[in-house]
Amino acid sequence: MNIAIVGATGNVGRKVLEVLERKNLHISEIFLVASARSAGSKINFKGKDIEVESLETFDFSKAKITFFAAGGKISEAYALKAASHSIVIDNSSFYRMDPDVPLIVPQVNADDLKNIKKNIIANPNCSTAQLVLPLKPIHDLFKIKRVVVATYQSVSGGGKAPMDELVEQTKLALENKAIESKNFTKQISFNLIPHIDVFADDGYTKEELKMTNETKKILDQNIELSATCVRVPVLVSHSEAVNLELEKEFTIDQIKECLEKMEGCKVIDERQDGGYSTPLEAAGKDETFISRIREDKTKKNCLNMWIVSDNLLRGAALNAVEIAETLIKNNFYGK
């Protein structure tokens, strides 16, 4: 089993490497691929220094599975080329809504892997991935009609440069020095920005529309979803305040029980000081944490909950590797 990672030097690429290192996958050889300027540098994997190869000249026939972790433009330019030789697991948004490309969270819709037509599998948006995981068991039992979600998304969702800028802006703010935002539309330190990605004509942002469209594709086309996506001064982990309207009556104990049984979910809901999960505690963890589970008493069959997950893991690297694990388990290695 030979594996390649395109974008191996970036945030998500390095996380994919970390996950592969601790997972029990029998990898024969791993190829690290990046831009020409990164070619020749070395990254350690399982005690061995591996030289980064140039994307422009890389031979994709050397890999059975290729992870793309380098953004939509790179996927647009190279994913089909790679897919002619290997299965592509794409972390960008480029192929997510392609009807011939399955959009996968393995615990939710692994059966869709039977419908691969282009030899490409899409990884969902990080905020969508952590949302559909707890929604799945609830939907199976009580049928979700409508979702209203407000996200609190960490700066790592934008890459390493925004993370560095948050740290730098925080230092400048504490020293009462002038701040010039480079990767954000407004100051992010000690602030919130209700704007992620570009605006559509209807006033929603692309990030918000991604959550709507991807949730429908992964879970159920009949689910209605409205999102407000907010960037917050947190380095890692996205949080979501979620309101669900269900078709069937439920009890909170039933909701907690089905969430606790769901692979990848962990309920932390003690209804006391500190009895809930926060971004800091979720960072570096594989699980998606669900807290503050309670009935919405303003409308029948509605409930609220708080969802927190490491966006670089659940929404990107971990999910991508779990897709690969599912492929390997089913002996499906592509063309």
Side-chain angles (χ1 to χ4, degrees):
M1 173 54 62
N2 291 351
I3 286 177
I5 302 173
V6 174
T9 58
N11 265 4
V12 175
R14 287 182 179 273
K15 277 292 178 184
V16 170
L17 264 178
E18 287 178 22
V19 176
L20 287 172
E21 191 152 18
R22 61 184 170 84
K23 287 279 190 177
N24 191 28
L25 288 178
H26 298 290
I27 301 171
S28 304
E29 195 168 0
I30 192 162
F31 302 96
L32 307 183
V33 186
S35 64
R37 69 175 180 272
S38 296
S41 60
K42 293 184 178 180
I43 298 176
N44 191 275
F45 180 72
K46 292 189 175 181
K48 181 181 177 182
D49 285 335
I50 299 173
E51 188 170 313
V52 176
E53 300 184 44
S54 172
L55 173 61
E56 289 81 355
T57 58
F58 182 68
D59 178 7
F60 287 102
S61 67
K62 295 192 290 187
K64 289 283 189 182
I65 295 175
T66 300
F67 295 97
F68 270 71
K73 290 183 179 179
I74 297 297
S75 295
E76 180 180 7
Y78 290 96
L80 280 176
K81 178 183 177 182
S84 65
H85 301 286
S86 71
I87 285 277
V88 168
I89 300 172
D90 183 23
N91 273 288
S92 82
S93 63
F94 187 77
Y95 285 101
R96 286 179 190 156
M97 299 315 297
D98 187 321
D100 292 331
V101 174
L103 182 64
I104 299 295
V105 175
Q107 296 88 342
V108 177
N109 64 332
D111 283 349
D112 289 351
L113 288 172
K114 298 173 183 176
N115 302 316
I116 302 174
K117 296 177 181 178
K118 290 184 175 178
N119 236 24
I120 298 173
I121 302 160
N123 207 54
N125 182 279
C126 46
S127 50
T128 304
Q130 73 179 67
L131 176 66
V132 297
L133 205 61
L135 292 194
K136 167 67 173 172
I138 296 174
H139 186 57
D140 286 347
L141 289 175
F142 304 102
K143 194 94 172 171
I144 297 171
K145 292 172 61 176
R146 182 170 182 259
V147 182
V148 180
V149 54
T151 71
Y152 306 77
Q153 295 179 227
S154 66
V155 295
S156 58
K160 186 176 185 302
M163 296 175 73
D164 292 340
E165 183 172 351
L166 171 59
V167 174
E168 183 60 27
Q169 280 196 15
T170 303
K171 292 177 182 177
L172 292 172
L174 291 171
E175 295 170 359
N176 291 318
K177 293 181 178 178
I179 293 173
E180 179 184 352
S181 293
K182 299 172 185 175
N183 296 283
F184 305 96
T185 55
K186 293 187 181 243
Q187 177 180 322
I188 186 62
S189 63
F190 301 98
N191 200 17
L192 305 175
I193 303 174
H195 173 198
I196 300 176
D197 216 321
V198 298
F199 277 97
D201 291 339
D202 62 2
Y204 284 86
T205 65
K206 189 176 178 181
E207 184 81 1
E208 292 157 355
L209 297 175
K210 285 177 190 174
M211 292 193 72
T212 299
N213 296 330
E214 292 175 19
T215 299
K216 285 175 172 286
K217 183 174 179 178
I218 294 169
L219 201 55
D220 189 334
Q221 288 289 344
N222 295 317
I223 291 176
E224 297 297 329
L225 187 146
S226 178
T228 301
C229 293
V230 183
R231 189 70 77 192
V232 299
V234 170
L235 285 172
V236 177
S237 298
H238 291 352
S239 304
E240 297 170 348
V242 182
N243 179 272
L244 302 179
E245 181 181 355
L246 310 180
E247 286 190 5
K248 300 177 182 178
E249 292 185 0
F250 64 88
T251 67
I252 294 301
D253 285 343
Q254 287 175 316
I255 297 294
K256 287 184 176 181
E257 183 180 2
C258 76
L259 289 172
E260 285 167 345
K261 290 179 179 178
M262 180 64 180
E263 181 187 352
C265 287
K266 186 170 184 178
V267 175
I268 298 180
D269 190 17
E270 298 174 7
R271 299 190 177 183
Q272 63 184 25
D273 292 355
Y276 39 78
S277 187
T278 66
L280 194 63
E281 292 143 349
K285 307 285 198 329
D286 287 352
E287 298 92 344
T288 292
F289 298 92
I290 306 100
S291 307
R292 302 296 318 283
I293 304 166
R294 62 210 188 275
E295 183 182 352
D296 177 354
K297 296 182 179 179
T298 66
K299 194 171 185 181
K300 187 178 179 181
N301 298 340
C302 288
L303 74 143
N304 295 300
M305 57 185 182
W306 173 253
I307 302 170
V308 185
S309 194
D310 183 322
N311 55 297
L312 298 178
L313 281 172
R314 175 72 273 155
L318 177 64
N319 196 72
V321 172
E322 287 179 343
I323 291 172
E325 284 183 304
T326 306
L327 293 173
I328 293 167
K329 181 181 177 181
N330 291 284
N331 297 315
F332 184 54
Y333 302 120
K335 297 176 182 177

